[in-house]
Amino acid sequence: MNDYDVIVAGGGPGGSTAAAFTAMDGHRVLLLEKETFPRYQIGESLLPATIHGICAMLGLRQEIQRAGFVVKRGGTFRWGADPEPWTFAFAASPRMAGPTSFAYQVERSRFDTLLLDNARRLGVDVRHRHRATGAIRDGGRVVGVRYVDHAGREQVSTARFVVDASGHGSRLHEAVGGRREYSPYFRNLALFGYFLDGGRMPDPNAGNILCAAFSDGWFWYIPLSATLTSVGAVVRHEAAAAVQGDPETAYAALIDRCPLIKDLLRDARRAEDPPYDRLRVRKDYSYDRTVLWCPGMALVGDAACFIDPVFSSGVHLATYSGLLAARSINSALAGLVPEDRCFTEFEARYRREFGLFRDFLLAFYRLDTDEQSYYGQASQVSGHPGAGREAFLDLVGGVTASDFSRRILDDVLAEGAELQLRGVLGDAAGDEPPMFPGGLIPSPDGRRWVEPDV
Ligand SMILES: Cc1cc2nc3c(=O)[nH]c(=O)nc-3n(C[C@H](O)[C@H](O)[C@H](O)COP(=O)(O)OP(=O)(O)OC[C@H]3O[C@@H](n4cnc5c(N)ncnc54)[C@H](O)[C@@H]3O)c2cc1C
């Protein structure tokens, strides 16, 4: 007798998405979160597919709208050979035109709490201050989780499926086998803090993320409210010693060397109230895994893989993989599709989406080229049949998950666009073609896999 159908470790966007979609299918779901929410998290710039796709499918779009987050219409880049900043707007992509052509800049403590509270409302048994410590195995299958509860007691719960959504810092992911592989290329370090009364770009770009490359790396500049701004420097790993020795001095020196950011911060002062009063450092944060699931367990979000944040893809990949895992679990528990077939589809789609961002980022980091080259590269990477600029917009909007084969692509809408369609239209979005030959397709409500009609 299992305690639960599903146990999810981690209450970030990946975990609350996986938990909510499995609870919506009627399953008994336990979610273990080691912190008390609201808790601080980095990753504040979102993509339209998260808001209009996943959050809409979760019934959360209105609530998020009411939360009053800063509207992000696109991104502005001072990048490459062109000394002038250039801007892309999500609305310029035909696939994201209209009411879904924006995302939000969010305080993650608030955004993640909305998602987790929603999961609880949908029936998930959410336990704060419960830390997962290991997976329980029975033969070749993961059958439960060991954890330490809020009172410090060691506990065990069993489930038919376990989802590890515990982010980059936990080691639970090791239970599926294989290994984590750190990117030899994106060996970067981020140093980030918060300012009050920083400048804004002129409308309609005031809510955009600004990414400004400079001699040592690049800065993000993310408006989180009319007064609060998140400012982060991403520099090469080699700078680690200098940065960690004296982060405050290093941060000030980096701002000083990036004229665009320095100018925007001319009249600004550092935020003083928690959680924004601290300067934080993260290093070596791009990695992939050789294995993403094993019988009884799947990895989602940062527990599985993470790629450099310049395209704001982290929360998109976390929520997308949470949905893919939930579809797989729901279908397997319903006895609709064999488990290994479900999770093979999960892994294929997840790797593909991650790979698109990774490959494009590799090109994007070649700072010596210009705007047109990025667009051209996006077209090549995504296999998008349209012009380069359109491919670029779809990629950074989280809507490129189509096959690399152009022949198939012509007939297949991009995955993120499908998510948005499903989020906005619900069942009326209709059937999708399979993403891979012989692969599965989502059910009309988007919560399960089904075999396509042949
Ligand atoms: C410098 C930097 C900048 C970034 N900028 C962006 C951005 O602008 N936009 C974007 O989309 N993404 C960005 N990201 C990525 C983003 O932070 C992550 O991809 C995203 O938070 C992943 O969500 P998740 O649910 O997988 O994990 P998390 O958000 O990390 O959530 C994991 C949860 O699990 C809990 N947990 C950990 N261990 C355990 C345990 N043992 N038991 C139970 N609970 C546990 C944690 O407390 C946490 O609440 C950035 C990342 C970095 C490093």
Side-chain angles (χ1 to χ4, degrees):
M1 179 67 183
N2 289 305
D3 292 324
Y4 292 91
D5 296 317
V6 185
I7 298 177
V8 178
S16 50
T17 300
F21 280 124
T22 46
M24 283 165 97
D25 227 45
H27 301 302
R28 295 163 302 153
V29 185
L30 171 69
L31 186 146
L32 305 168
E33 165 55 54
K34 79 174 164 65
E35 306 285 342
T36 303
F37 273 36
R39 58 93 177 88
Y40 174 85
Q41 178 60 294
I42 191 60
E44 296 143 333
S45 195
L46 303 186
L47 297 181
T50 302
I51 302 301
H52 308 292
I54 303 279
C55 289
M57 289 167 72
L58 290 172
L60 258 178
R61 205 148 59 119
Q62 262 87 39
E63 198 174 336
I64 288 178
Q65 197 178 342
R66 281 196 298 274
F69 295 121
V70 170
V71 172
K72 170 190 177 186
R73 301 197 185 283
T76 298
F77 288 81
R78 215 314 291 146
W79 202 273
D82 190 346
E84 288 306 310
W86 41 275
T87 291
F88 75 85
F90 294 126
S93 168
R95 295 183 194 207
M96 285 186 287
T100 61
S101 58
F102 69 91
Y104 294 111
Q105 316 283 17
V106 299
E107 291 183 68
R108 284 287 302 277
S109 54
R110 293 175 59 215
F111 179 77
D112 290 12
T113 301
L114 285 178
L115 258 64
L116 193 55
D117 284 351
N118 189 54
R120 185 190 286 107
R121 275 197 299 274
L122 291 165
V124 176
D125 181 355
V126 175
R127 310 264 186 94
H128 287 113
R129 292 172 56 220
H130 281 58
R131 184 169 54 87
T133 51
I136 303 163
R137 300 192 80 90
D138 184 3
R141 190 172 181 88
V142 169
V143 294
V145 172
R146 262 187 298 280
Y147 56 97
V148 176
D149 71 13
H150 61 292
R153 290 177 299 238
E154 295 203 2
Q155 305 268 8
V156 167
S157 285
T158 56
R160 294 171 71 188
F161 286 97
V162 171
V163 175
D164 177 14
S166 57
H168 73 284
S170 129
R171 302 187 63 176
L172 202 58
H173 63 92
E174 291 169 358
V176 298
R179 61 190 182 281
R180 181 177 278 186
E181 292 182 335
Y182 284 88
S183 162
Y185 190 80
F186 298 111
R187 297 188 69 230
N188 291 337
L189 175 144
L191 184 59
F192 42 102
Y194 294 83
F195 285 85
L196 294 173
D197 300 329
R200 293 287 178 260
M201 291 180 284
D203 274 329
N205 300 330
N208 284 7
I209 182 171
L210 169 65
C211 295
F214 70 117
S215 52
D216 300 52
W218 63 276
F219 265 97
W220 75 72
Y221 191 89
I222 300 175
L224 291 177
S225 73
T227 51
L228 183 67
T229 309
S230 167
V231 181
V234 177
V235 295
R236 298 290 297 166
H237 182 84
E238 290 72 41
V243 165
Q244 283 171 324
D246 185 354
E248 284 291 350
T249 306
Y251 189 56
L254 290 169
I255 291 173
D256 216 43
R257 288 204 284 279
C258 186
L260 197 52
I261 300 298
K262 185 179 176 186
D263 189 49
L264 282 164
L265 293 177
R266 204 177 40 236
D267 301 320
R269 62 201 153 88
R270 286 283 290 283
E272 287 174 357
D273 292 333
Y276 299 122
D277 53 340
R278 285 176 47 201
L279 194 59
R280 294 176 167 90
V281 179
R282 278 274 294 273
K283 67 173 180 144
D284 265 347
Y285 48 73
S286 290
Y287 50 83
D288 193 0
R289 278 197 112 267
T290 56
V291 174
L292 297 180
W293 67 279
C294 71
M297 181 166 176
L299 311 181
V300 308
D302 284 6
C305 49
F306 178 69
I307 193 77
D308 183 278
V310 73
F311 283 152
S312 312
S313 51
V315 174
H316 164 62
L317 288 168
T319 52
Y320 177 64
S321 58
L323 171 65
L324 296 179
R327 276 182 190 163
S328 305
I329 291 168
N330 290 339
S331 315
L333 286 178
L336 289 175
V337 186
E339 181 181 316
D340 60 342
R341 186 152 160 67
C342 292
F343 284 96
T344 300
E345 184 76 29
F346 156 82
E347 174 157 356
R349 290 195 183 223
Y350 192 4
R351 283 200 187 284
R352 189 162 180 283
E353 192 76 349
F354 178 78
L356 282 173
F357 281 99
R358 181 200 51 220
D359 293 349
F360 188 57
L361 274 164
L362 282 168
F364 203 77
Y365 264 90
R366 291 196 329 233
L367 297 177
D368 55 342
T369 47
D370 61 13
E371 185 186 351
Q372 287 312 319
S373 317
Y374 304 137
Y375 292 152
Q377 179 70 23
S379 190
Q380 254 176 36
V381 168
S382 67
H384 193 296
R389 188 180 177 85
E390 191 187 318
F392 173 82
L393 293 169
D394 284 345
L395 191 64
V396 298
V399 292
T400 304
S402 342
D403 201 280
F404 280 98
S405 153
R406 283 181 184 233
R407 194 170 49 79
I408 296 171
L409 235 182
D410 284 345
D411 301 328
V412 181
L413 275 177
E415 180 72 340
E418 286 291 353
L419 285 178
Q420 295 189 46
L421 268 183
R422 207 158 287 283
V424 173
L425 299 179
D427 293 7
D431 280 354
E432 289 174 33
M435 185 175 275
F436 305 102
L440 299 166
I441 60 170
S443 59
D445 64 10
R447 295 204 296 267
R448 294 178 178 184
W449 297 122
V450 292
E451 297 286 354
D453 287 337
V454 281

